[in-house]
Amino acid sequence: MLSDPTSRCVTPWKMSLIKIFSAIYFTAVCAAQDPRNVTGVSPTIPPPSPAAIPTVYDAPVPVLEIQSIFLDVFPSEKVEFSCSIAGSSDWTFTWSRDRQEVQESDPNVSLFAEGSMLKLTAATQTYSGSYNCKGHHKTKNVTTAASNSLGLTVNAYTPKPTLSRTSNFNKMYPGESITFTCVVHGSSGWEYMWYHDGNLIQGKHSTYFIRSIDHSNSGQYHCKATRGKADFYTDKSPTTMLQVSDPPKPSLRLLTPWTNVFENETVGFSCDIDSSDWRITWYQDQEQVLEDYVLVLDMEDSLLNITEMTEEYQGIYACRAQLESRRVISEFSNTINISVYENLPKPTVTVTPGINPMYVGEIVNFTCNVDVASGWTYQWYKDGELLPQSSKTKSITLNLSAVGMYGCSATRGEVTSTEISEEIQQDVIEIPVPSLKATEHWLDVFPGESVQLSCLMDKESDWIYTWYKDGKMIQANNAIYLGLNGPTLTIKSASAAHAGRYTCKGDLKDRPVSSRFSSGCNLTVYDSNPTVTLNQDPDYKVMFFGESVSYSCHIDISSGWEYLWYKDEVELNISENKHMIASVGTANQGSYKCQARRGTNQSPFFATSRTKQLEVQENKPKPSITQQPDVDKVYVGESVSMNCKVQVSSGWEYMWYKDGTQVSTNSSRLSIDAAYLTNSGTYTCMARRNKNTFNTAVSDGRILRISEIPTPSIKLLTQWMDVFPTESVKLHCGMSDISEWTYIWNKDGQKVQASNAVSFDSDATTLSIQSASSFHRGKYSCSGKLKSRSVTSGLSSVLLLHVHGSKPRVTLIQEPGHDVMHTGDSVSFGCHINISTGWEYLWYKDDNQLVESGNNYTITSLLTKDSGSYKCQTKRGMSTVFYSDQSQTARLNVEERPKADIILMTGWSEAFSTDSLVLSCSVPESQFSWNWNYTWFKEDDIIDVPSSEKYTVTPQNDPDQSMYTCKGIRHGRPSYSKISEQFKTKNLLLKRRVLLSISGCIFFGIILVFLGCIILRVVRKPD
């Protein structure tokens, strides 16, 4: 390839020069040729003499032959041609394909034997074509004509044989035959190779036959084909799988539950195999079964049913399958042995544990057993009556009603039932309660004393006893000893730690039976020496003249004591533990104490009581009354009590009076469980000693007022009783005079409970529904309950809450309803909602909220920026706001109002001929410009002239040269235009005057120049 311009320029003359030299060369060659080698003679050459004329022969024609057999070949297949001239070997050969010379440089072409043999590899379809050859003499300049042609066709793809088989069953069975066929379509000359699991097997034919299949023949089969001397191979065929399996073994299933059956029971079999092409044959004891009225065969579902079992049908059953279309028979299935019992068994009952009687709370297990066969369902009987449980084992937690005779029976299927077993008696008794006793005379001891307690049952000796102190189990230790099996508990040396309440219980050996706890025994162990207690009876700190009193001296242990008495530290001559004073007086006033002594004279033990002071008064006391609850008003049905108390001394009995009439009670407390209005009145009381006849003065009166329970009032805190879904509601319940009430709410007679949607304030005064739904629709009422007293009012009046099914519909109305408005126009929108009340209105333009409120929104003078989409929405409520859906959208398009324009109709060319100006008013931007009427203004005042498009300004009607405007008016929309810009006639006239002045100056200037030129010509005459 030449890259520089000079090369391109030189090339043409070089080519011309080459052409000239070539012509000269060929002429010279022709002239110098040997006439013997020339097949024709030029007519300009004189003919030789007859003796010198040689014999001229025609060149022979080579013969082209195919050596490799096939002219229809496939990619990479070898092809071999031979070219020969009969009787001569003095030739070399060249080859052509479709008149194009075959190049030996082609890697897929090989020439041998001076070109007489052409071997090529048909790599691609480009080697297809018509092949011929020519001969060239080795010594003479002679070339033969082209040989005969042979057409070579190279296919696009390597062939792939197809593989078929005579049997397309997924599974073949041993002994069957099969034939495989391998075919290469569209060509011939093939020998075939067969492969089994990738291994070459014998066989060269297009078919491969297996006469009797066995398991070794299983596997993948494919084939290939080869032809030619160079062993050209096709691709391998698709594989086919030959699966050789033994015939399936049928599976025999028992459809009924048991192989051991009783007469008249039903037995069913199913013979299962993995294909429906098999026919089932049944066998009993290896003999084929034939159908009869009892033995029913279902060939379609492979079932065998024996409807009424007898010993005749007892035996071993099996089945076998046969594939009739292929003459294949399976082996026998598994076998099932069916046996028939002659007699029905009788069940037996066993009981665990085998103890009778047993205690309440123990568990007894009865077991019903049938030794023969299986699949039994059991029924239990108590005293001949059927029990509900139907299991083999019946467990009973015993109580006294469980006493009775127990038996069972068994059933199997629908036709087999046994008789009832022998019955077993079961008795039940109560668990005894142990008796706890103390062996000593007292249960209050001093430190170091010993204590022994015993715990015994009335019956049986197989009890083990457990001891408890204050409910905790006691364990034996150095201080506590328990007898064998625990019937006795001994405290060797008592201490304060041993004080408490002792109980015991028994547990029966080897049985889960525990008794109840015994009655308790309180052991008191003092931390120190005993204390002597001086008791006064009556124990009044203050006594009154004439009353009687007695003193008793008491010590912690109950026996063995002697007593000494002292008044004002002076011993009295009394040896008993009691000291009586029949009628007290001032002489008996003073301090009293006693001493207790026990033990021998050598080492007596003394204990002294505390001193008691006796005060004696002369005047009678006066009791006071208190009320509970201490309120001025008590409600009907409420309980109320009054206490009468004498502040001085004690031991009083009380007498009550209502309105002066005695009330039958001696208690200091007068109780009214359910007050009536008749219980209202004035109550007084008087006290007297319960151990003598001393009476106090009468108390002051206490007035009891009984009132009816008030009924609460219910009212609506939110504004509406008809609400919409998700809207909030608040109801209030209250009493008119008392604030100490809590409230209970009801809806349609059912109590309202707090939930996610319903809540109450602290006293349930307010019921709040955060988000109403149809569920909350109903009649609401409330009742009150006093916080501190069990007083409940009646129900209030009813409030009916209506919850609409959906949100309200909002309608937007535009007035006027024009699609297009103009600047300066007025438009009004109305937002309407036709249900409920209390609405506030929200306005939106292009989804942005406006500051307007109210159900009307008016724009008095429209601007183009007012164009947009308008809609409205309503809301109501304060703390929780409810919003309606938004209205439909109203589209408002505001166009600019056309503006009038003043045009001066008087031209500048008329400035010299007129003193008036003609003005024209038009609305150029309007598509209805011909329908306009015009109004003229001078200094913003209307000019009183007929409506016209034009107006003429003259010195007469405008001596001051004012400013003019105009406006268009018409019927239709828009009905008027904007006022035009101001037109100033003063400036215009000034301009006209300036123009006249300039024009005059120019005119006279030209005349002066012209005259000057004439003067110069006259003055400057040539010499």
Side-chain angles (χ1 to χ4, degrees):
M1 177 178 174
L2 299 175
S3 59
D4 60 301
T6 57
S7 297
R8 291 194 297 272
C9 294
V10 172
T11 299
W13 68 263
K14 284 185 178 181
M15 295 302 295
S16 300
L17 186 60
I18 290 171
K19 291 178 181 178
I20 294 171
F21 281 128
S22 297
I24 296 171
Y25 171 74
F26 286 120
T27 302
V29 169
C30 291
Q33 279 184 347
D34 189 345
R36 293 173 296 177
N37 295 333
V38 180
T39 59
V41 180
S42 174
T44 61
I45 299 175
S49 62
I53 295 175
T55 303
V56 178
Y57 299 95
D58 290 331
V61 178
V63 176
L64 176 62
E65 296 178 315
I66 182 71
Q67 300 296 317
S68 56
I69 304 176
F70 308 109
L71 287 172
D72 187 2
V73 297
F74 299 92
S76 77
E77 191 170 4
K78 307 294 184 182
V79 181
E80 186 175 341
F81 295 104
S82 67
C83 189
S84 62
I85 296 176
S88 176
S89 60
D90 296 331
W91 301 87
T92 62
F93 300 90
T94 58
W95 297 80
S96 298
R97 178 177 65 247
D98 295 334
R99 298 182 181 181
Q100 299 292 326
E101 185 176 353
V102 176
Q103 302 295 327
E104 190 176 5
S105 60
D106 189 335
N108 292 316
V109 174
S110 299
L111 297 175
F112 301 95
E114 297 179 330
S116 63
M117 298 294 293
L118 170 63
K119 293 183 179 180
L120 61 88
T121 301
T124 63
Q125 285 184 298
T126 57
Y127 292 95
S128 296
S130 178
Y131 285 80
N132 58 31
C133 62
K134 290 182 180 180
H136 306 278
H137 201 279
K138 294 180 181 177
T139 59
K140 300 175 182 180
N141 190 22
V142 176
T143 299
T144 70
S147 69
N148 58 303
S149 296
L150 291 177
L152 178 65
T153 301
V154 181
N155 292 288
Y157 303 102
T158 302
K160 185 174 185 178
T162 59
L163 179 60
S164 61
R165 51 194 279 183
T166 56
S167 174
N168 289 320
F169 297 116
N170 291 333
K171 294 181 181 179
M172 300 291 290
Y173 300 108
E176 291 188 287
S177 63
I178 191 171
T179 300
F180 298 98
T181 301
C182 188
V183 177
V184 180
H185 296 284
S187 58
S188 60
W190 297 99
E191 291 184 357
Y192 294 89
M193 296 176 289
W194 291 90
Y195 295 86
H196 175 212
D197 291 335
N199 299 317
L200 184 64
I201 56 179
Q202 292 183 354
K204 294 185 178 181
H205 300 291
S206 61
T207 59
Y208 181 70
F209 177 66
I210 304 175
R211 184 178 303 278
S212 179
I213 294 173
D214 60 23
H215 287 287
S216 64
N217 297 122
S218 291
Q220 299 277 353
Y221 286 83
H222 73 272
C223 64
K224 291 170 64 174
T226 181
R227 73 178 185 181
K229 299 176 182 179
D231 291 334
F232 171 75
Y233 295 94
T234 67
D235 289 340
K236 72 175 184 177
S237 71
T239 60
T240 183
M241 179 66 188
L242 177 60
Q243 182 177 351
V244 182
S245 303
D246 288 326
K249 180 179 179 180
S251 173
L252 181 60
R253 290 187 299 117
L254 183 64
L255 299 180
T256 49
W258 312 289
T259 58
N260 300 325
V261 297
F262 297 91
E263 290 191 354
N264 298 323
E265 286 189 315
T266 300
V267 176
F269 300 95
S270 173
C271 188
D272 300 329
I273 197 164
D274 61 359
S275 173
S276 60
D277 298 333
W278 297 85
R279 187 175 67 84
I280 305 302
T281 307
W282 295 89
Y283 296 86
Q284 177 188 357
D285 296 333
Q286 298 185 348
E287 293 184 3
Q288 186 172 346
V289 172
L290 299 178
E291 188 172 14
D292 58 24
Y293 72 97
V294 173
L295 195 147
V296 180
L297 300 179
D298 186 342
M299 302 303 293
E300 182 178 351
D301 294 328
S302 303
L303 302 177
L304 170 61
N305 290 312
I306 305 172
T307 57
E308 293 182 5
M309 198 68 188
T310 62
E311 289 188 9
E312 177 185 353
Y313 298 102
Q314 179 174 277
I316 298 174
Y317 285 81
C319 63
R320 199 173 186 185
Q322 180 177 358
L323 195 60
E324 292 182 339
S325 61
R326 293 164 61 182
R327 298 181 180 179
V328 176
I329 299 177
S330 73
E331 62 177 301
F332 280 102
S333 69
N334 56 300
T335 61
I336 296 177
N337 188 10
I338 302 297
S339 59
V340 180
Y341 295 103
E342 294 182 5
N343 301 315
L344 286 174
K346 182 176 182 179
T348 58
V349 178
T350 57
V351 60
T352 303
I355 301 171
N356 196 34
M358 297 184 71
Y359 290 105
V360 171
E362 285 192 278
I363 297 175
V364 63
N365 295 311
F366 295 97
T367 301
C368 188
N369 187 49
V370 178
D371 296 333
V372 176
S374 60
W376 295 100
T377 300
Y378 297 91
Q379 294 81 37
W380 288 93
Y381 301 85
K382 175 178 176 287
D383 296 331
E385 294 184 1
L386 181 65
L387 298 177
Q389 187 173 348
S390 61
S391 61
K392 182 174 182 178
T393 300
K394 183 173 184 63
S395 295
I396 301 174
T397 301
L398 294 175
N399 54 36
L400 295 178
S401 64
V403 175
M405 299 289 291
Y406 289 84
C408 70
S409 66
T411 60
R412 189 171 81 157
E414 297 180 355
V415 298
T416 305
S417 296
T418 70
E419 60 179 310
I420 297 178
S421 68
E422 298 294 335
E423 293 183 321
I424 293 180
Q425 174 68 33
Q426 181 63 56
D427 296 321
V428 183
I429 59 176
E430 290 279 6
I431 301 173
V433 178
S435 174
L436 177 60
K437 296 180 181 179
T439 58
E440 294 84 359
H441 297 292
W442 54 83
L443 284 172
D444 47 347
V445 297
F446 295 103
E449 283 190 282
S450 64
V451 178
Q452 187 176 63
L453 304 176
S454 64
C455 185
L456 296 174
M457 295 284 193
D458 292 339
K459 298 179 180 179
E460 299 188 25
S461 59
D462 292 336
W463 294 90
I464 299 174
Y465 299 93
T466 307
W467 289 85
Y468 296 85
K469 182 174 78 72
D470 298 330
K472 295 181 180 179
M473 185 184 294
I474 299 173
Q475 302 291 340
N477 54 36
N478 293 333
I480 297 176
Y481 171 76
L482 299 177
L484 182 63
N485 293 331
T488 59
L489 179 147
T490 303
I491 302 173
K492 299 176 181 178
S493 179
S495 66
H498 298 123
R501 184 174 180 81
Y502 286 78
T503 56
C504 65
K505 62 181 291 188
D507 294 284
L508 202 56
K509 290 181 181 178
D510 303 323
R511 289 165 63 183
V513 178
S514 296
S515 73
R516 290 181 295 168
F517 283 97
S518 68
S519 58
C521 180
N522 292 320
L523 178 64
T524 302
V525 179
Y526 299 99
D527 295 333
S528 59
N529 288 332
T531 299
V532 177
T533 302
L534 177 61
N535 292 325
Q536 177 183 334
D537 184 26
D539 189 14
Y540 308 142
K541 294 182 179 180
V542 178
M543 300 288 291
F544 300 94
F545 266 49
E547 288 189 285
S548 63
V549 65
S550 69
Y551 292 94
S552 63
C553 193
H554 178 73
I555 197 168
D556 295 319
I557 57 176
S558 60
S559 61
W561 296 98
E562 294 179 359
Y563 298 92
L564 304 175
W565 291 91
Y566 299 88
K567 176 182 179 291
D568 296 332
E569 301 298 331
V570 177
E571 184 176 354
L572 301 177
N573 188 20
I574 301 171
S575 60
E576 300 295 330
N577 67 332
K578 290 185 178 182
H579 172 46
M580 295 289 296
I581 303 174
S583 179
V584 298
T586 55
N588 300 116
Q589 184 169 285
S591 60
Y592 291 83
K593 68 178 180 180
C594 68
Q595 274 188 343
R597 180 181 67 183
R598 75 172 180 178
T600 62
N601 293 328
Q602 290 79 14
S603 57
F605 175 78
F606 291 94
T608 305
S609 72
R610 291 183 179 182
T611 301
K612 278 192 175 288
Q613 186 71 32
L614 178 61
E615 179 182 351
V616 180
Q617 290 186 2
E618 295 183 13
N619 298 323
K620 285 186 176 184
K622 183 178 182 179
S624 61
I625 296 178
T626 58
Q627 179 181 313
Q628 184 63 32
D630 188 11
V631 294
D632 293 335
K633 185 187 296 183
V634 176
Y635 293 105
V636 171
E638 193 175 3
S639 62
V640 63
S641 64
M642 296 183 184
N643 285 319
C644 184
K645 185 174 180 62
V646 178
Q647 300 297 330
V648 179
S649 193
S650 59
W652 302 100
E653 289 183 354
Y654 295 90
M655 294 171 288
W656 288 90
Y657 301 87
K658 174 180 175 290
D659 298 331
T661 302
Q662 186 172 354
V663 179
S664 59
T665 180
N666 293 325
S667 172
S668 63
R669 181 183 182 91
L670 174 63
S671 296
I672 302 173
D673 294 331
Y676 293 94
L677 294 176
T678 56
N679 296 125
S680 296
T682 301
Y683 289 80
T684 57
C685 69
M686 183 174 67
R688 69 181 175 189
R689 297 286 197 187
N690 54 3
K691 294 187 179 181
N692 52 43
T693 58
F694 179 79
N695 294 331
T696 67
V698 177
S699 71
D700 295 330
R702 173 82 183 201
I703 298 174
L704 177 63
R705 295 181 178 87
I706 308 297
S707 301
E708 293 285 357
I709 301 174
T711 300
S713 61
I714 184 171
K715 64 181 179 179
L716 181 67
L717 294 182
T718 48
Q719 294 174 289
W720 310 277
M721 285 305 294
D722 59 326
V723 296
F724 298 91
T726 73
E727 196 169 3
S728 64
V729 179
K730 283 190 177 181
L731 303 177
H732 177 268
C733 186
M735 298 289 189
S736 60
D737 56 347
I738 299 178
S739 61
E740 295 299 321
W741 293 85
T742 59
Y743 298 93
I744 301 168
W745 290 86
N746 295 276
K747 180 176 80 72
D748 297 331
Q750 301 295 322
K751 184 176 180 181
V752 178
Q753 303 289 346
S755 64
N756 292 335
V758 178
S759 63
F760 304 100
D761 61 5
S762 59
D763 293 335
T765 305
T766 302
L767 180 148
S768 299
I769 302 174
Q770 283 75 23
S771 178
S773 67
S774 59
F775 173 77
H776 301 113
R777 184 186 299 131
K779 296 179 180 178
Y780 285 81
S781 59
C782 64
S783 60
K785 183 180 183 304
L786 276 178
K787 294 179 181 179
S788 58
R789 292 148 62 186
S790 57
V791 176
T792 302
S793 75
L795 290 175
S796 69
S797 58
V798 172
L799 280 181
L800 176 61
L801 177 64
H802 178 69
V803 182
H804 294 280
S806 61
K807 286 189 175 183
R809 181 181 177 185
V810 180
T811 303
L812 179 63
I813 299 175
Q814 176 184 335
E815 182 64 35
H818 302 307
D819 294 334
V820 177
M821 305 288 288
H822 294 84
T823 55
D825 283 346
S826 173
V827 68
S828 178
F829 295 99
C831 190
H832 300 280
I833 185 167
N834 60 355
I835 191 170
S836 197
T837 58
W839 299 104
E840 295 181 21
Y841 295 86
L842 306 176
W843 291 91
Y844 299 88
K845 175 179 178 289
D846 297 331
D847 293 326
N848 297 316
Q849 188 172 350
L850 303 174
V851 296
E852 295 295 326
S853 61
N855 66 331
N856 288 308
Y857 173 48
T858 300
I859 305 174
T860 56
S861 180
L862 286 169
L863 302 174
T864 54
K865 68 179 181 179
D866 294 320
S867 295
S869 296
Y870 289 81
K871 55 188 174 181
C872 68
Q873 185 181 23
T874 61
K875 72 172 184 177
R876 69 180 186 182
M878 299 297 290
S879 58
T880 303
V881 181
F882 171 76
Y883 291 89
S884 71
D885 292 335
Q886 291 183 339
S887 70
Q888 82 279 12
T889 300
R891 178 67 190 174
L892 180 64
N893 294 319
V894 181
E895 295 182 354
E896 190 69 41
R897 185 176 298 278
K899 185 175 183 180
D901 187 21
I902 295 178
I903 302 172
L904 177 64
M905 302 299 292
T906 303
W908 293 105
S909 61
E910 301 176 63
F912 302 100
S913 62
T914 182
D915 60 353
S916 64
L917 298 176
V918 178
L919 304 179
S920 175
C921 185
S922 64
V923 184
E925 297 177 359
S926 173
Q927 57 180 326
F928 304 104
S929 58
W930 58 84
N931 287 331
W932 292 97
N933 296 317
Y934 299 93
T935 301
W936 290 89
F937 301 86
K938 182 174 72 173
E939 300 294 343
D940 296 330
D941 294 327
I942 295 177
I943 302 174
D944 187 15
V945 296
S947 177
S948 174
E949 181 182 355
K950 296 180 180 180
Y951 179 72
T952 302
V953 181
T954 64
Q956 290 77 22
N957 61 19
D958 189 15
D960 298 327
Q961 300 176 356
S962 304
M963 290 186 295
Y964 289 86
T965 56
C966 70
K967 180 174 73 171
I969 299 174
R970 73 184 184 94
H971 297 290
R973 301 188 65 256
S975 59
Y976 63 92
S977 71
K978 290 183 180 178
I979 295 177
S980 67
E981 298 290 340
Q982 293 178 338
F983 191 91
K984 299 180 180 180
T985 59
K986 181 178 181 179
N987 292 340
L988 180 60
L989 293 175
L990 177 62
K991 290 176 182 179
R992 285 174 177 267
R993 291 169 182 171
V994 171
L995 178 60
L996 288 173
S997 300
I998 294 172
S999 299
C1001 291
I1002 293 173
F1003 176 75
F1004 287 108
I1006 292 172
I1007 293 175
L1008 290 174
V1009 171
F1010 180 73
L1011 292 175
C1013 291
I1014 294 174
I1015 292 171
L1016 287 176
R1017 288 179 65 91
V1018 172
V1019 173
R1020 292 184 181 182
K1021 291 183 177 180
D1023 295 333

